[in-house]
Amino acid sequence: RDAQESRGLGDVYKRQVLEVACGAGQGVGLVARQAKSVQAGDVSEAILASARKHYGCRFTFTQFDAQAMPYEDESFDVVVIHEALYYVPDANHFVAEASRVLRPGGRILLTNSNKDLFDFNPSPHSTVYHGVVELKALFKAHGYCADFWGSQPLKDAGLVQKTTRVAKLFAVKFGLMPKTMRGKQLLKRFIFGKPVLMPAEIVPGLSERENLTPLRADQPCITHKIIFCIAQDA
């Protein structure tokens, strides 16, 4: 939200919103607190069952591919995709579809894990990761201007996290990282202890509001873990 307000986009959620690749929908209720309306969907029918079970009839959850959305042209003002673009087989198809379902002046809000960090290790189920440079080029090819912000700066990491990141770099460099999600989960549990379960719905006050750092888009970001992006048709 800080990023939106800094660009005069504080009303971006007071629109009709579509969340793509919503997973179990933990953030849908939070977005709906400021949106005119929210629809959401995911490619996995099984994971959508969890969202429907929690929210009941509050929202509509639809099974669909991010590359082929079942909506009419110019149906939404905002398309949101959080930590999921790298699972989409073809990012260009997603942006083209998002552009199709957006009204003139519509925006795409995106967050991505930062592939340009020194110890980055991709998910075994991912296709292509995009850093700020690649995202700028991706959106520009579809007529969008993109602005970027960084979250979770490496300089603020604690001693334990800094130590584990160096160990992670060593493991990635020498091919010692587990190749499966199950293996990665077990490794994280060994290092960090029992994981904290994600709530079924994120509510205000669950975490502290974070100030985002503006990022340059003409060079890779090597300072932050998470990239935030707002893209709008030029």
Side-chain angles (χ1 to χ4, degrees), residues 19 52 58 96 99 102:
E19 182 170 356
R52 295 187 184 110
R58 289 168 58 191
S99 179
L102 281 170

Side-chain angles (χ1 to χ4, degrees), residues 139-153:
F139 286 120
K140 183 178 180 180
H142 292 269
Y144 282 77
C145 295
D147 293 291
F148 300 92
W149 293 263
S151 170
Q152 300 182 30

Side-chain angles (χ1 to χ4, degrees), residues 197-220:
L197 295 177
M198 186 78 164
E201 181 177 351
I202 299 172
V203 297
L206 187 64
S207 62
E208 294 183 4
R209 181 170 174 174
E210 181 178 359
N211 292 318
L212 304 180
T213 302
L215 299 176
R216 293 179 57 174
D218 59 350
Q219 62 186 31

Side-chain angles (χ1 to χ4, degrees), residues 24-185:
Q26 288 95 339
V28 173
L30 189 64
V31 173
R33 290 174 178 270
Q34 299 186 60
K36 181 178 180 181
S37 67
V38 179
Q39 294 192 51
D42 196 275
V43 72
S44 171
E45 185 64 42
I47 200 168
L48 288 176
S50 298
R52 295 187 184 110
K53 180 179 179 180
H54 172 74
Y55 287 105
C57 61
R58 289 168 58 191
F59 305 109
T60 299
F61 292 92
T62 306
Q63 190 276 330
F64 65 83
D65 186 333
Q67 303 166 113
M69 304 180 197
Y71 302 103
E72 298 292 330
D73 295 356
E74 300 184 7
S75 297
F76 299 96
D77 302 299
V78 181
V79 169
V80 178
I81 181 167
H82 290 309
E83 293 286 2
L85 182 63
Y86 39 83
Y87 293 124
V88 177
D90 191 319
N92 276 291
H93 286 173
F94 160 71
V95 178
E97 273 294 271
S99 179
R100 180 184 66 79
V101 302
L102 281 170
R103 299 185 178 105
R107 303 178 179 104
I108 301 172
L109 305 188
L110 174 148
T111 60
N112 240 23
S113 298
N114 186 6
K115 75 172 186 67
D116 294 314
L117 294 186
F118 71 95
D119 63 341
F120 178 74
N121 184 51
S123 163
H125 300 301
S126 63
T127 52
V128 176
Y129 281 84
H130 297 77
V132 291
V133 174
E134 293 82 8
L135 285 170
K136 179 182 178 181
L138 173 67
F139 286 120
K140 183 178 180 180
H142 292 269
Y144 282 77
C145 295
D147 293 291
F148 300 92
W149 293 263
S151 170
Q152 300 182 30
L154 295 185
K155 65 180 181 63
D156 292 345
L159 179 60
V160 172
Q161 188 173 142
K162 288 179 179 178
T163 302
T164 57
R165 295 190 77 88
V166 173
K168 179 183 174 184
L169 172 63
F170 179 86
V172 170
K173 182 177 181 179
F174 291 97
L176 302 177
M177 290 293 290
K179 304 300 183 184
T180 65
M181 291 300 294
R182 176 61 176 167
K184 290 187 175 185
Q185 290 169 357

